[in-house]
Amino acid sequence: MIRKVVYAVALFCFLTACKSVKEIVYVQDIDHVQLHEITTRYEARIKKDDLLNIVVSAPDKQVVMPYNLTLSDFSTGGGGFDSERVTLPYLVDINGEIDFPILGKIKVEGMTRSDLADYLTSVISKDVKNPIVYVSFRNYKITVLGEVKNPGTYSMDSEKVNIFQALGKAGDLSLTAKREDIILIREVGGVNTHYRIDLKSANLMNEDFFYMQQNDVLYVPPSGQRISEATTNTGIWSVLLSSVASVLAVVTLITK
C-alpha cells in the first residue's frame, strides 16, 4: 500500500511539474511552425514627437554649415580662438513636420531615416557638391510594464528590436506572468492600437508587430497561478505535503 501511495505522489508531482513547464516556456511549437522568410529589411518610420539628429556634411565644411542646426560654444585658451559646435535635434511637430535650416518646413512623418536622408541629399545637392546626410533617432524608446524584473522605459541603441529583446531589456518575465495574453500598445495614425501576444506560440515571429516601434508600450499581466510560490523550499514542501494528504485520503476511502 505504501508503495502505491509513493507512486501516486510521484505521478501527481510529475503531472504538476509538466503543467507548470507548459505555462512558462516560450515558443513551445517552434519545431512545428513554418517561419516566414524575412524578405524586407525592417526600418522604423518617423512619427510625431520624434527627436531626430540630422547632420549634413560635405568636402567643403563651410558651405554646408548653414544646413546644420547647431549651438556654438566659443572659448579662448592658450591656443587662441576655438569654436565647438553642438548639433541640436529636430522635433517632429504635431503636423509631422520639422523646420530645417534654409529649406524651411519639411513633412517627415511616415518617412524612414533612409527616405529623409535621400530627400535631403537630393535637395541640398542642388547647391552643395557631394553632400552627405546622416539621420538618426534621438529618442527611440520603448516601455515595458507589468510582470517583468525591471519595468520601465528604455532607450534603445538599435531600431530593429523584437519583442523578445524588449523583454530581455526589462530582465525577462517573472514566473507569475502570463505568457499568452501580453498586450502591445502602439499609436497608428494618431490612434492607440493594441495587439495581443502569445509568447508560447512561435507564430509570433511571423507577425507584423514582432518588431517594436518607438514609443511602443508592452504590458505583461500577472497569471492566475503563483508559480513562484511553488518554486521556493516552503512552497515545494507545502505542495508535497498537500499531495501526500490528498493521496492518503483517497486511499483511505478506497480501502474502507
Side-chain angles (χ1 to χ4, degrees):
M1 179 61 65
I2 295 177
R3 181 179 296 178
K4 292 181 179 180
V5 171
V6 173
Y7 286 162
V9 172
L11 178 61
F12 177 83
C13 294
F14 174 76
L15 293 176
T16 302
C18 288
K19 182 179 179 182
S20 299
V21 168
K22 288 182 179 179
E23 288 177 345
I24 64 176
V25 174
Y26 300 160
V27 292
Q28 298 175 19
D29 57 351
I30 193 168
D31 291 330
H32 307 288
V33 171
Q34 181 65 43
L35 298 180
H36 300 163
E37 181 182 359
I38 301 176
T39 56
T40 58
R41 183 168 59 91
Y42 173 80
E43 201 170 357
R45 296 194 175 273
I46 299 170
K47 300 180 180 180
K48 297 181 180 68
D49 295 325
D50 278 344
L51 284 175
L52 303 176
N53 284 328
I54 304 176
V55 178
V56 182
S57 183
D60 189 341
K61 300 297 189 295
Q62 293 297 322
V63 174
V64 295
M65 191 176 296
Y67 289 97
N68 287 285
L69 187 63
T70 59
L71 177 66
S72 298
D73 297 323
F74 298 96
S75 63
T76 57
F81 185 79
D82 179 47
S83 175
E84 180 181 353
R85 293 184 172 273
V86 178
T87 302
L88 300 177
Y90 295 83
L91 174 64
V92 183
D93 64 22
I94 194 171
N95 297 315
E97 300 175 334
I98 60 172
D99 194 357
F100 197 81
I102 308 296
L103 306 181
K105 293 283 187 178
I106 301 175
K107 183 76 170 183
V108 297
E109 184 182 12
M111 286 185 175
T112 65
R113 291 189 307 107
S114 299
D115 293 337
L116 181 54
D118 290 344
Y119 171 77
L120 291 175
T121 300
S122 175
V123 175
I124 295 173
S125 63
K126 297 177 182 178
D127 298 316
V128 177
K129 185 177 181 179
N130 299 325
I132 300 174
V133 180
Y134 176 76
V135 180
S136 64
F137 289 97
R138 187 158 178 168
N139 65 332
Y140 201 93
K141 298 178 181 179
I142 59 173
T143 299
V144 185
L145 302 174
E147 294 292 312
V148 293
K149 184 178 180 181
N150 301 306
T153 299
Y154 295 91
S155 296
M156 308 305 290
D157 297 328
S158 171
E159 298 163 21
K160 190 174 182 179
V161 179
N162 63 46
I163 288 172
F164 292 120
Q165 291 170 324
L167 292 173
K169 189 79 171 178
D172 201 6
L173 275 63
S174 66
L175 291 178
T176 61
K178 279 188 177 181
R179 266 67 177 168
E180 72 282 356
D181 203 22
I182 294 174
I183 299 174
L184 173 65
I185 302 173
R186 172 178 297 170
E187 182 180 328
V188 179
V191 178
N192 283 326
T193 304
H194 73 275
Y195 309 89
R196 292 192 178 273
I197 297 168
D198 184 359
L199 293 180
K200 296 188 293 184
S201 173
N203 273 320
L204 168 63
M205 291 185 280
N206 290 327
E207 299 288 355
D208 293 336
F209 53 78
F210 180 59
Y211 288 100
M212 304 285 288
Q213 295 183 11
Q214 67 271 42
N215 303 318
D216 276 359
V217 177
L218 201 59
Y219 171 66
V220 181
S223 65
Q225 292 183 329
R226 296 294 178 182
I227 302 175
S228 60
E229 294 177 3
T231 60
T232 63
N233 290 333
T234 302
I236 291 173
W237 283 111
S238 176
V239 171
L240 289 176
L241 290 175
S242 176
S243 302
V244 171
S246 299
V247 173
L248 288 176
V250 172
V251 170
T252 301
L253 290 173
I254 294 174
T255 56
K256 281 184 176 181

